[in-house]
Amino acid sequence: MENKLKIEIVKWIDEYELLTMIREKVFIEEQKVTSQLEWDGMDKEAIHFLAFKDKKAVGCARAFVIQNRMQLGRMAVLKEYRGEGIGSALIEIAMTLAKLNQLSGIYISAQCHAINFYKKFGFEVTSDIYLDVKIPHRDMKLDF
């Protein structure tokens, strides 16, 4: 098997079926986030990242540009593909895009279990723990 990983920057209108499938599996089925909270109506305006492994959609993230910074969120990798560098590849392309657009950094609302993952890329914790969709989170930022 080739085992090729590819990340694409996509529009919601073009790839909403694949993005929806990944987010429903990870956030709604696995993490028990309600549909009403997951589908916030902001996807049409977002930048979307879609990860493919051997041509199968396996991960995603979305971003907005707010006041010269990228707000990155809704990062998800299908359970059976975790630990294969897909999340890292999504972060790296987001960082590259932010730098290419001369943004000053990236903000994320990180689930607490993922904080050490983001720290590997230089993100720093900027808030106390808070609950978002009943899951503990902390705000983090990466300055360029």
Side-chain angles (χ1 to χ4, degrees):
M1 194 181 264
E2 275 185 67
N3 212 16
K4 284 177 91 173
L5 179 62
K6 185 172 137 199
I7 311 284
E8 292 182 6
I9 297 169
V10 299
K11 288 184 167 74
W12 179 256
I13 195 154
D14 298 327
E15 298 293 357
Y16 68 90
E17 288 154 332
L18 293 173
L19 294 162
T20 298
M21 177 272 296
I22 294 165
R23 286 168 50 187
E24 281 186 346
K25 282 187 177 169
V26 173
F27 297 126
I28 296 173
E29 293 172 26
E30 195 182 319
Q31 298 185 350
K32 309 296 184 221
V33 173
T34 66
S35 299
Q36 293 87 344
L37 291 170
E38 180 58 30
W39 307 117
D40 59 8
M42 295 169 62
D43 286 305
K44 286 187 180 104
E45 292 81 47
I47 301 159
H48 293 273
F49 303 97
L50 192 51
F52 294 91
K53 182 106 181 228
D54 301 318
K55 299 183 181 165
K56 179 182 182 339
V58 297
C60 64
R62 78 173 184 189
F64 299 94
V65 175
I66 302 165
Q67 295 175 340
N68 202 41
R69 296 181 79 81
M70 181 180 283
Q71 176 73 48
L72 187 64
R74 296 301 202 274
M75 196 159 119
V77 175
L78 295 177
K79 195 178 222 168
E80 59 271 30
Y81 291 92
R82 290 183 196 148
E84 298 184 27
I86 296 162
S88 295
L90 286 163
I91 291 285
E92 285 164 8
I93 196 164
M95 289 169 63
T96 300
L97 184 65
K99 288 175 183 174
L100 282 172
N101 284 286
Q102 300 180 331
L103 302 180
S104 60
I106 301 176
Y107 285 123
I108 54 171
S109 172
Q111 292 186 5
C112 287
H113 70 83
I115 285 173
N116 287 334
F117 167 77
Y118 292 112
K119 281 184 173 176
K120 289 189 302 195
F121 298 94
F123 282 86
E124 299 171 3
V125 172
T126 60
S127 78
D128 290 330
I129 295 172
Y130 58 91
L131 288 180
D132 185 8
V133 296
K134 300 181 185 159
I135 299 169
H137 283 69
R138 293 181 88 170
D139 291 338
M140 298 183 81
K141 71 171 184 165
L142 174 67
D143 293 321
F144 300 137

